[in-house]
Structure formats: structure tokens, C-alpha cells
């Protein structure tokens, strides 16, 4: 038979486990870096938290005059594009640490499309 | 002054003018011949600068064309504008130049100075060297970064695009520890 002290400890442990479980609830989606012909993307949080040391993503917006994006996947494959288009620069400026990014580019290395998703299910980077 | 002395003075003056003209022409011809025989470093540098300016012009023109095209597409989709080449466009007043199309939203873009053109040329050479090697050397990377910061935004965009192209063509490795800008 458990003593009342042990029962108290057991109750507290169960409560802690339950609360920690709740803290991680909600739909989550992992999106590692991907690179294809003329496109690339991934979620910054997933890329940061990936187990390999190759993946990374970088978005540079310079004085709203040009933007540069690069993504490297787990195999070391890289894709990059640059834009001076005002609308695409606005899109690139919306990137935050928890963003999912996807971009397309032409054969000259110029961005033709930049998509930025800021949502609840792409995890923010773990520092 | 006697009546005979006038023609002599005229002849003398004409001869002097002819002599001066001859000297000037001869000197010019000699200069041109010398210049064409051996190009001085300054002339070569001017040639390089001219090439850079031409490249800049081409880039500006292309960016402007593409922007104008992008801006036209939604209007066409909405039925506001006719496609290019249609009679409505042919009769329309002159469209803004491609340069004005990209200058309007980017007031920070300034004309590059001669020094900036030289820095851009040097940066391109550094980038080419890195592409040849497949990666940046420390000294090249440092120099490139220094030059890059002093360029106009448009020059920076041009170089960034060249780097993007090199990355996409697998000609250079990209490493977050060794970013050029």
C-alpha cells in the first residue's frame, strides 16, 4: 500500500507530465530544406532543427532594393535567386524565424516567385 | 605699304596657315598611329569600364523590360490593357522607358561613380576566381565583401544575381560560415 506522501508525489508527477504534454499539443509540420530544378524551400524552424549540419536557409533584403535567397538541403544541394522586383522584395521581407519559404527562379538566377507562410504548424527554430 | 608688298604678305600668311595646318594634321596622325600601335593601361582600363557600363545598361534594360512585363500581366488579366503588339497599344502614348520603371520604386539607386564601376569590375574578377576554385578563398572573400559594401544597390543586385547563377549551376559551394554579403 502506498503511503500518503508517495501518493502526493505520484499525483504531482502525473500533473507535470499532463501539463508538459498539453504544452506541445497542436498540429505541427516538419518541412526540411528541399531543392529542385527551378525551385527550393523549407521551414526555417525545421531546417534549423535538422539533425544534419548541411541544411540552411538565408534571406537577405537590402534596403528594400534587392533580395537574395538561398537554401541548401540535406544532400548539400543548393539553390539561390536574386530579385529587384518590389513585390517580391515585400514577400521576402515577410520572412520571420518561424516562416516556411518557397521560391522559384529562372535560368538567370532571378527569382520569379517568392512564397512566405507564417502559420502555427511550422515550428520556430530551436536555439 | 606698296602695291607689291600686299600679295607677298598674303602669300606669307597663307603659307603660315598651311604650315600650321600641316603640323596639326601630322601631329594628330602620329598620335592616332601611336595610340593604335600600343594601347596604354589607361586606354585598356577605359575599355573595361565601357564594357562594364554596357553590361550595366543591358542589365538595367532587361530588369526594366521584365518589370514592365510583370506589371502589364495583371492588367491584361483584368482586361484593362491589351496585349503588346495589338493596335490599341500601337496607338497608345509612349510607354515609360524601362529605366523609369525600375527607378521609380527604388529611390536609393544611384548612378555608380567611376570608382564604383572599378570596384564592381574587381568584385566580378574576385567572384570569377572563386567560381574557378569552386569556393571562396579567405582573402578573396574579404576583399569581395569590402568592395561589395561600397557599391550601389543596383550593382550589388547584379553581383548577387551572378552569385545565384553560379550557385544554381553548381559552380560554387555556398557555406553559411563564408557568406560574401
Amino acid at each position: 500500500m502506498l503511503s500518503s506522501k508517495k501518493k502526493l508525489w505520484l499525483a504531482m508527477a502525473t500533473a507535470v507530465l499532463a501539463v508538459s504534454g498539453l504544452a506541445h499539443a497542436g498540429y505541427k509540420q516538419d518541412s526540411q530544406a528541399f531543392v529542385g530544378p527551378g525551385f527550393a524551400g523549407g521551414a526555417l524552424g525545421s531546417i534549423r532543427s535538422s539533425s544534419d549540419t548541411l541544411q540552411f536557409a538565408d534571406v537577405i533584403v537590402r534596403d528594400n532594393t534587392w533580395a537574395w535567397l538561398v537554401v541548401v538541403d540535406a544532400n548539400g544541394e543548393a539553390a539561390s535567386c536574386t530579385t529587384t522586383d518590389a513585390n517580391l522584395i515585400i514577400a521576402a521581407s515577410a520572412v520571420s524565424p518561424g516562416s516556411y519559404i518557397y521560391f522559384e527562379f529562372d535560368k538567370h538566377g532571378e527569382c520569379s516567385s517568392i512564397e512566405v507562410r507564417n502559420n502555427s504548424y511550422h515550428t520556430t527554430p530551436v536555439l | 605699304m606698296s602695291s607689291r608688298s600686299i600679295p607677298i604678305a598674303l602669300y606669307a600668311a597663307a603659307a603660315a596657315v598651311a604650315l600650321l595646318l600641316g603640323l596639326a594634321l601630322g601631329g594628330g596622325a602620329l598620335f592616332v598611329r601611336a595610340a593604335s600601335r600600343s594601347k596604354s593601361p589607361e586606354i585598356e582600363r577605359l575599355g573595361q569600364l565601357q564594357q562594364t557600363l554596357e553590361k550595366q545598361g543591358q542589365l538595367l534594360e532587361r530588369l526594366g523590360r521584365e518589370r514592365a512585363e510583370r506589371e502589364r500581366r495583371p492588367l491584361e488579366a483584368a482586361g484593362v490593357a491589351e496585349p503588346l503588339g495589338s493596335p490599341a497599344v500601337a496607338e497608345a502614348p509612349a510607354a515609360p522607358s524601362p529605366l523609369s520603371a525600375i527607378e521609380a520604386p527604388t529611390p536609393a539607386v544611384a548612378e555608380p561613380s567611376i570608382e564604383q564601376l572599378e570596384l564592381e569590375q574587381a568584385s566580378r574578377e574576385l567572384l570569377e576566381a572563386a567560381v574557378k576554385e569552386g569556393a571562396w578563398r579567405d582573402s578573396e572573400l574579404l576583399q569581395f565583401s569590402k568592395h561589395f559594401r561600397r557599391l550601389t544597390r543596383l550593382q550589388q543586385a547584379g553581383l548577387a544575381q551572378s552569385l545565384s547563377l553560379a550557385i544554381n549551376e553548381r559552380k560554387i559551394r555556398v557555406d553559411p560560415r563564408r557568406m560574401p554579403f
Side-chain angles (χ1 to χ4, degrees):
Chain A
M1 196 70 179
L2 290 170
S3 68
S4 59
K5 206 171 179 182
K6 276 184 180 169
K7 277 181 189 169
L8 186 64
W9 277 111
L10 197 62
M12 280 175 70
T14 310
V16 167
L17 281 174
V19 169
S20 65
L22 280 174
H24 288 92
Y27 175 64
K28 281 168 281 297
Q29 190 172 304
D30 191 40
S31 296
Q32 307 274 310
F34 58 88
V35 171
F39 64 89
L44 302 192
S46 303
I47 294 170
R48 166 92 185 181
S49 307
S50 61
S51 53
D52 62 89
T53 54
L54 282 172
Q55 287 187 57
F56 85 94
D58 198 355
V59 177
I60 297 175
V61 179
R62 187 70 189 266
D63 296 339
N64 279 352
T65 53
W66 59 271
W68 186 78
L69 295 90
V70 66
V71 163
V72 176
D73 70 12
N75 300 315
E77 291 290 319
S80 170
C81 74
T82 307
T83 185
T84 53
D85 181 282
N87 292 325
L88 296 184
I89 291 169
I90 290 169
S93 302
V95 173
S96 67
S99 295
Y100 167 92
I101 59 170
Y102 171 79
F103 59 89
E104 294 174 359
F105 51 92
D106 64 16
K107 60 182 179 179
H108 303 293
E110 193 169 347
C111 308
S112 50
S113 172
I114 298 174
E115 179 184 327
V116 178
R117 295 187 189 193
N118 292 306
N119 51 43
S120 62
Y121 52 85
H122 284 115
T123 51
T124 48
V126 178
L127 300 172
Chain B
M1 195 181 278
S2 72
S3 60
R4 283 181 69 189
S5 67
I6 293 168
I8 290 168
L10 276 174
Y11 286 138
V17 168
L19 186 64
L20 282 172
L21 271 172
L23 280 172
L25 286 171
L30 279 173
F31 176 77
V32 168
R33 197 179 294 172
S36 62
R37 209 179 294 149
S38 62
K39 278 187 177 175
S40 69
E42 285 78 13
I43 290 174
E44 281 182 11
R45 175 63 75 190
L46 277 172
Q48 285 174 354
L49 283 177
Q50 190 185 0
Q51 281 181 352
T52 309
L53 276 169
E54 281 170 7
K55 280 182 195 166
Q56 284 263 316
Q58 286 164 1
L59 178 67
L60 275 168
E61 200 181 335
R62 187 167 62 74
L63 291 173
R65 259 203 318 273
E66 286 170 3
R67 170 157 294 178
E69 175 70 18
R70 272 195 291 271
E71 283 170 357
R72 192 171 54 77
R73 255 182 245 146
L75 292 176
E76 276 178 23
V80 176
E82 294 290 328
L84 275 180
S86 68
V89 170
E91 289 163 14
S97 75
L99 284 180
S100 65
I102 63 162
E103 278 167 4
T106 54
V109 175
E111 283 293 313
S113 64
I114 297 290
E115 188 198 3
Q116 284 173 317
L117 288 171
E118 286 178 341
L119 285 174
E120 185 191 2
Q121 182 66 27
S123 303
R124 287 205 174 277
E125 284 165 13
L126 287 165
L127 179 58
E128 279 167 24
V131 166
K132 225 175 249 180
E133 293 282 326
W136 289 98
R137 287 183 181 196
D138 286 340
S139 56
E140 290 167 353
L141 185 67
L142 189 67
Q143 201 62 39
F144 182 92
S145 301
K146 273 185 185 174
H147 290 344
F148 192 83
R149 279 195 292 271
R150 296 172 63 187
L151 299 178
T152 66
R153 300 293 176 262
L154 191 64
Q155 286 177 304
Q156 291 180 345
L159 278 167
Q161 194 175 331
S162 297
L163 180 63
S164 289
L165 192 58
I167 289 168
N168 295 341
E169 290 177 346
R170 315 280 183 265
K171 287 180 178 170
I172 192 166
R173 276 195 310 277
V174 57
D175 182 342
R177 287 158 294 230
R178 301 167 65 76
M179 296 297 268
F181 41 76

